[in-house]
Amino acid sequence: MNTLKRLSHDVRVRHSLSWSLLVLILLGIVLGIGRATKKIDYIWQWQRMPRYIFFKKEIDITAADPGTILSIRDDGKDKVVILRTFDGKDETYRIPSGNVQVYEGDDLDSEDIIGSYKKWGPGILLIGLWLTLKMSFISVILAVFIGLITGLARISSRDRKSVV
């Protein structure tokens, strides 16, 4: 009986020592990170964060075919640019915000910029979040499918000797 008491006492002592050691290690890690952060003296610039969530991207409207600008007219909020190609066809381009970068009579090559406008779009953080959620969803579906197949294979009552 004396030996059993001594062993249980030793187990309790070892248990409390291991917890104390864990607490000391975690405390050392936290203090080390805190001290390293103070030495770096980094200043977070939170005012720059919104552009990584949402931003206004500039979208260029380019000429599909080479030609000459025939006319530029106002159509409410939009500007309408008519380009006469060298084949004699008229192409119409609508620029929403009216930021036209050409004048009547200008000769354009294909892929030349006629105008541009700004549009709100997702920043890199939202794109990354969406990609992460999409990958997680696909992974869950794949894991359920693989689990179902392996579970059904495991509980099947097929004779394994006849397969080999």
Side-chain angles (χ1 to χ4, degrees):
M1 197 56 113
N2 220 359
T3 314
L4 187 60
K5 282 184 180 179
R6 197 175 63 209
L7 281 176
S8 66
H9 179 61
D10 288 342
V11 169
R12 279 191 229 140
V13 167
R14 277 188 282 160
H15 184 69
S16 63
L17 280 175
S18 62
W19 275 108
S20 301
L21 184 62
L22 176 67
V23 167
L24 283 174
I25 289 172
L26 290 176
L27 186 65
I29 289 172
V30 168
L31 289 175
I33 290 174
R35 180 171 282 170
T37 305
K38 286 198 183 251
K39 276 191 168 191
I40 291 174
D41 195 31
Y42 184 77
I43 299 169
W44 286 96
Q45 297 176 359
W46 292 105
Q47 72 274 11
R48 292 185 177 186
M49 284 303 294
R51 78 174 99 164
Y52 297 111
I53 298 170
F54 281 111
F55 75 102
K56 272 190 165 180
K57 58 183 170 183
E58 190 164 332
I59 299 173
D60 293 330
I61 299 173
T62 59
D65 297 318
T68 304
I69 300 295
L70 195 63
S71 70
I72 301 172
R73 63 180 159 81
D74 251 339
D75 190 24
K77 286 185 175 180
D78 301 343
K79 294 267 189 178
V80 177
V81 177
I82 299 174
L83 174 79
R84 177 157 293 155
T85 64
F86 295 133
D87 298 339
K89 294 183 286 183
D90 287 349
E91 295 178 358
T92 304
Y93 297 93
R94 185 173 294 273
I95 302 162
S97 63
N99 186 13
V100 178
Q101 299 176 5
V102 293
Y103 299 100
E104 288 184 21
D106 283 353
D107 287 331
L108 297 180
D109 201 1
S110 59
E111 301 299 319
D112 279 351
I113 297 173
I114 296 173
S116 63
Y117 65 96
K118 292 189 179 202
K119 179 179 175 185
W120 283 100
I124 191 77
L125 287 178
L126 279 184
I127 292 170
L129 175 66
W130 174 246
L131 182 64
T132 302
L133 291 175
K134 193 163 78 171
M135 285 176 49
S136 298
F137 179 74
I138 292 170
S139 298
V140 166
I141 298 298
L142 190 63
V144 167
F145 179 72
I146 291 172
L148 180 68
I149 297 298
T150 56
L152 288 174
R154 184 171 179 164
I155 64 169
S156 69
S157 61
R158 187 174 172 149
D159 187 17
R160 290 178 178 82
K161 291 181 183 176
S162 65
V163 174
V164 178

